Amino acid sequence: MQFLVTGGAGFIGSALANQLIREGHSVRVIDDLSAGDPGRLLPEVNFTRGDVCDKPKLWRLLHQVDCVYHLAARVSVPESILYPREYNATNVGGTVALMEAMRDAGVQRVILASSGAIYGEQPRQPVTENMSPNPTSPYAVSKLASEHYVNIINALWGIESVCLRIFNVYGPGQAIPPVHAPVIPQFLRQALGGGSLVVYGDGTQTRDFVYIDDVIRALIAAATAPGVNRQIINVGSGQETSVNQLVETIERVVGRSVQVLYVHAQSGGVSRLVADITRARQLLNYAPRVDLATGLQLLLENDPQFVALRRRR
Ligand code: NAD
């Protein structure tokens, strides 16, 4: 098949594009490199630097594409609280521009990388797809709006869509930006470097940490599985892990105890979040294979920045 991956030079997008190539598909990528790195891509991937809101560029890239993976987005919850307009422009505006360009080019299917963040605080866990979303940040609002756009455009223009609500992904290749870094690579770097781990709140808040390879399997299945049109599907590990449990697992994997600093909780977070993955099991034949301890070990062994840090110890 011929795929276009928007945001394909990012953490998830590059792993997806490379796996699609390994499976024999043709892959184009558009990424503005605001956070991505084209050096992560296999040479067979056809990379174009560009903005996902640039329709003329999209028209060219969409020529004879069978399916689009829409991953281009700004991705930080705390940053979105500071810059909601930018999050709206890229995440919502980018989705609408892409859908218009797909209509113009006659492309039939889009898979949206949505987020478990749209659930916000819920009365019950694990969260199922039929619960009312309760977003607590502009990032989550932008993902929910994107879901609504692809679903309504599906109904109006007949473009098939699948919305995958992805939970907290980790794995090799995830960047550690200087601010608002994702928790797992940040903690690992601090643990390996001998520094303290900074926990926001008391560490009892829970998340669903899912290894990148499991997410890629779900994304690839969504392109061809029957009966997924118009579906919203959770993609997580199905395991609830508190931040304190994450710290303990990191201590075990790294082989040393760490000092933890507890600081005031940030806004935009939720107290508990874990995915019910029944629908993914049924529709995508999805079964997560990598538990947290194994995934952290794989991350330490396969991510060049951690390999280098371990050598220095
Ligand atoms: P990432 O930041 O590594 O990837 C996003 C990519 O989009 C980057 O390469 C960035 O350069 C690109 N981009 C940003 N604005 C763009 C624009 N205007 N035009 C073109 N490209 C643009 O983040 P990621 O973790 O790989 O996330 C990929 C997708 O998955 C995002 O849509 C994110 O919301 C979603 N998601 C990620 C997680 C997670 O835990 N990582 C969880 C749920 C959903």
Side-chain angles (χ1 to χ4, degrees):
M1 288 170 72
Q2 174 73 64
F3 289 96
L4 173 66
V5 183
T6 74
F11 165 48
I12 301 175
S14 57
L16 172 65
N18 290 343
Q19 185 57 28
L20 288 168
I21 290 288
R22 286 186 207 105
E23 295 188 11
H25 301 289
S26 300
V27 183
R28 297 177 193 149
V29 158
I30 180 168
D31 196 300
D32 71 352
L33 302 186
S34 53
D37 173 7
R40 297 165 168 158
L41 294 167
L42 291 172
E44 294 89 337
V45 175
N46 192 331
F47 174 75
T48 299
R49 183 172 187 171
D51 188 336
V52 72
C53 300
D54 182 344
K55 276 177 49 184
K57 208 165 247 179
L58 287 173
W59 288 330
R60 189 169 52 74
L61 292 172
L62 285 167
H63 183 63
Q64 293 194 328
V65 161
D66 299 302
C67 177
V68 177
Y69 284 103
H70 181 38
L71 277 67
R74 304 284 294 265
V75 302
S76 157
V77 166
E79 191 189 54
S80 78
I81 295 168
L82 298 173
Y83 307 108
R85 189 173 61 88
E86 288 179 23
Y87 272 67
N88 186 68
T90 300
N91 296 8
V92 185
T95 301
V96 179
L98 173 68
M99 298 302 286
E100 285 189 4
M102 284 178 65
R103 173 195 56 186
D104 301 342
V107 176
Q108 268 312 308
R109 178 173 271 208
V110 62
I111 295 162
L112 173 72
S114 182
S115 170
I118 66 115
Y119 288 106
E121 213 58 75
Q122 292 287 339
R124 287 187 315 282
Q125 298 289 334
V127 290
T128 52
E129 294 86 347
N130 54 8
M131 286 177 169
S132 290
N134 184 21
T136 55
S137 67
Y139 169 73
V141 169
S142 75
K143 286 288 161 180
L144 184 57
S146 298
E147 283 190 3
H148 282 307
Y149 267 112
V150 299
N151 284 330
I152 200 69
I153 282 174
N154 180 321
L156 294 170
W157 302 341
I159 296 176
E160 293 176 16
S161 60
V162 188
C163 296
L164 298 183
R165 288 184 180 159
I166 303 170
F167 285 66
N168 284 62
V169 191
Y170 69 100
Q174 189 167 25
I176 314 181
V179 285
H180 310 310
V183 62
I184 286 190
Q186 170 88 332
F187 276 10
L188 266 184
R189 187 174 60 178
Q190 287 165 336
L192 287 170
S196 306
L197 270 55
V198 179
V199 170
Y200 294 98
D202 63 4
T204 57
Q205 68 272 35
T206 65
R207 293 293 180 270
D208 181 323
F209 298 108
V210 57
Y211 192 66
I212 181 84
D213 292 2
D214 286 326
V215 174
I216 300 305
R217 276 188 280 273
L219 281 160
I220 290 180
T224 51
V228 291
N229 185 26
R230 289 243 200 137
Q231 292 285 347
I232 293 176
I233 307 173
N234 287 344
V235 177
S237 67
Q239 300 298 314
E240 184 171 21
T241 305
S242 72
V243 173
N244 287 331
Q245 287 169 329
L246 171 65
V247 172
E248 286 163 21
T249 314
I250 285 179
E251 284 181 321
R252 251 186 293 130
V253 171
V254 171
R256 67 156 72 152
S257 56
V258 295
Q259 207 191 349
V260 180
L261 281 178
Y262 291 92
V263 300
H264 205 66
Q266 292 177 315
S267 54
V270 294
S271 62
R272 290 182 69 194
L273 190 60
V274 60
D276 182 314
I277 53 173
T278 309
R279 193 178 284 180
R281 286 188 196 280
Q282 286 165 350
L283 293 178
L284 303 178
N285 203 16
Y286 171 73
R289 296 183 192 165
V290 183
D291 65 24
L292 183 60
T294 310
L296 291 173
Q297 191 64 45
L298 286 169
L299 177 52
L300 280 185
E301 288 164 10
N302 294 297
D303 188 306
Q305 59 187 332
F306 295 128
V307 172
L309 267 175
R310 284 170 88 198
R311 267 204 214 106
R312 259 185 255 148
R313 275 169 63 192

